[in-house]
Amino acid sequence: MRHDLVKGRNLAHMWSQRSVVDYGLAKRAAIQSIRNGHVESRDVCDAHPHLLRAARVLGEPTKHGCPICERQNVTHVTYVYGDELGRCAGRVKASSDLVGMAHEYEEFRVYVVEVCQGCGWNHLAVSFLLGTGDPPARGGLPG
């Protein structure tokens, strides 16, 4: 697992982090395909305008250079999804928000997308589960 993505975002030691999926191999394969001429950079530098806006307004800067244009650093955009999240599902969250959410909700999945605001490169970097792991409190009598 590439701990730099998670560590750099103060999530490496989060008590409830589990089921981590690192997409580094897929990223390396995409970059290699471009460098080998099998894929055009415009085919992978296709960030949706909403993703670019999220990166600009809500994203978290990194010290990692864009692997395609190499002109600027990528930004991390973190999305959260889970049945318990209600209206928060599918929203962008700051890594600092995840700590409180991990104590509040049973389970939700976090997706970190790296985005270059210069060339439009975007790639899912890592995903993982957070949450208490406890079943949600249910009203009513057992039965």
Side-chain angles (χ1 to χ4, degrees):
M1 174 176 80
R2 284 189 44 211
H3 292 291
D4 60 326
L5 286 173
V6 181
K7 260 190 209 170
R9 305 188 71 243
N10 298 322
L11 299 173
H13 302 292
M14 186 171 280
W15 60 274
S16 72
Q17 185 179 14
R18 57 198 179 276
S19 299
V20 177
V21 179
D22 181 344
Y23 297 92
L25 288 175
K27 175 183 172 179
R28 285 194 292 277
I31 293 166
Q32 194 62 42
S33 290
I34 293 167
R35 292 186 178 148
N36 289 341
H38 300 295
V39 175
E40 295 289 326
S41 61
R42 68 175 178 262
D43 293 333
V44 295
C45 295
D46 59 352
H48 190 278
H50 289 119
L51 179 57
L52 289 171
R53 186 177 323 115
R56 185 178 70 250
V57 176
L58 302 168
E60 296 177 279
T62 72
K63 294 180 180 180
H64 304 285
C66 175
I68 306 303
C69 73
E70 300 176 345
R71 289 189 304 261
Q72 62 187 88
N73 292 344
V74 296
T75 302
H76 284 164
V77 180
T78 303
Y79 292 93
V80 294
Y81 289 90
D83 293 338
E84 285 183 89
L85 299 181
R87 292 177 36 194
C88 288
R91 300 241 175 130
V92 176
K93 294 291 182 180
S95 58
S96 59
D97 295 335
L98 299 178
V99 176
M101 290 177 70
H103 287 282
E104 184 177 346
Y105 296 102
E106 175 190 355
E107 184 172 274
F108 61 97
R109 183 154 285 281
V110 178
Y111 295 91
V112 180
V113 180
E114 69 175 35
V115 181
C116 177
Q117 297 177 56
C119 72
W121 159 261
N122 62 106
H123 198 277
L124 179 58
V126 67
S127 70
F128 50 91
L129 290 176
L130 290 178
T132 63
D134 298 328
R138 307 231 185 240
L141 299 173

